[in-house]
Amino acid sequence: MLTQERIEEIKSQFQGLSQEEQQKKFQEILETLDPEEREQITGKQQCPFCSMAKGEIPVKKIYEDETLLAILDIRPANKGHTLLFPKEHHKVLSTVQEPLVAHMFTTANKISTAIFDAMNAQGTNIHVANGSAAGQTAPHVLINIIPRFTKDKVVIGWEAEKVEDNELEKIAESIRGKIPKEKPKITEKKEMRSVREDFSRIP
Ligand SMILES: [Zn+2]
């Protein structure tokens, strides 16, 4: 069992580190802890969404597979508001493995389509809040799928800022520079086929 002091001391070790360094450091620290201490640090014990994923809290289930659970929000923005989340504990989307992120959004889109039909929705919002500054209140990453109607009272909005063209260029460059430059994962077979298709289109 970790003391509050020790937890604070561990937290202080992450200050000033990049997200990648933080993750590395976090793994190193986890390896030195026993399972109970690990739960204290990762917050798995206290997370209601992890408990829902384990079936320990009753939910209004919409969808479930090996890795995901979708439930009705009991305090919805509109009726039919659904929460989709990975069964594995993650606070924010950036720590979720890429194939699972892909699976989450494919599933979110299927649920959104079902909500259009079942709730006679005129629109949907598919929304993720990463971090409290973005309005995240849950300790577990969630995709909100909200049915929308032209005269509903849901507010998702912002006042548009004015940014000069040269600043826009600088911002674009800095974001581009942070996107990993790996090639999209595509099998050799698929790649060959698309090359062949390109050739066959040449008259
Ligand atoms: Zn959780």
Side-chain angles (χ1 to χ4, degrees):
M1 195 81 168
L2 296 167
T3 61
Q4 196 54 40
E5 231 174 53
R6 174 82 177 115
I7 293 173
E8 291 304 322
E9 197 264 313
I10 290 173
K11 277 187 192 163
S12 71
Q13 294 183 42
F14 295 104
Q15 277 168 11
L17 297 180
S18 73
Q19 204 175 12
E20 269 178 37
E21 290 167 329
Q22 281 187 19
Q23 273 186 33
K24 207 173 149 223
K25 183 98 205 158
F26 191 55
Q27 286 308 320
E28 283 171 16
I29 292 170
L30 282 186
E31 278 162 25
T32 66
L33 305 175
D34 66 36
E36 192 193 13
E37 290 171 336
R38 253 177 237 175
E39 280 181 343
Q40 271 186 284
I41 288 284
T42 56
K44 273 184 188 167
Q45 274 289 300
Q46 295 84 9
C47 177
F49 295 92
C50 286
S51 303
M52 289 177 208
K54 285 184 212 143
E56 295 163 359
I57 298 177
V59 292
K60 302 284 182 242
K61 194 190 294 177
I62 297 282
Y63 173 85
E64 183 174 17
D65 65 25
E66 262 176 50
T67 53
L68 301 177
L69 181 64
I71 61 168
L72 277 187
D73 194 325
I74 53 168
R75 301 284 316 277
N78 272 329
K79 285 174 189 164
H81 180 170
T82 297
L83 306 173
L84 171 68
F85 52 93
K87 289 182 171 178
E88 189 177 279
H89 183 82
H90 289 275
K91 172 105 199 274
V92 288
L93 200 56
S94 47
T95 60
V96 180
Q97 294 288 308
E98 214 169 279
L100 185 51
V101 174
H103 182 46
M104 280 172 77
F105 278 91
T106 305
T107 306
N109 191 37
K110 283 181 187 162
I111 293 171
S112 160
T113 306
I115 285 175
F116 265 104
D117 289 343
M119 305 308 295
N120 289 319
Q122 293 162 298
T124 64
N125 283 114
I126 297 178
H127 176 259
V128 179
N130 275 312
S132 54
Q136 183 176 15
T137 52
H140 194 115
V141 63
L142 303 172
I143 299 182
N144 286 272
I145 305 148
I146 305 170
R148 297 301 304 271
F149 306 90
T150 30
K151 286 191 179 135
D152 68 22
K153 295 204 174 76
V154 181
V155 183
I156 297 172
W158 54 85
E159 271 178 48
E161 260 193 83
K162 248 193 183 158
V163 186
E164 297 299 327
D165 188 71
N166 58 350
E167 196 182 353
L168 285 174
E169 189 46 57
K170 269 188 209 152
I171 294 168
E173 195 185 313
S174 98
I175 297 174
R176 275 197 302 265
K178 299 282 180 198
I179 298 174
K181 289 198 178 48
E182 44 195 71
K183 262 177 86 181
K185 285 180 191 87
I186 172 169
T187 64
E188 206 176 322
K189 219 169 152 189
K190 260 191 194 161
E191 211 160 14
M192 286 310 294
R193 190 163 54 227
S194 69
V195 169
R196 267 202 302 275
E197 277 164 7
D198 285 345
F199 272 115
S200 66
R201 273 197 289 273
I202 298 171

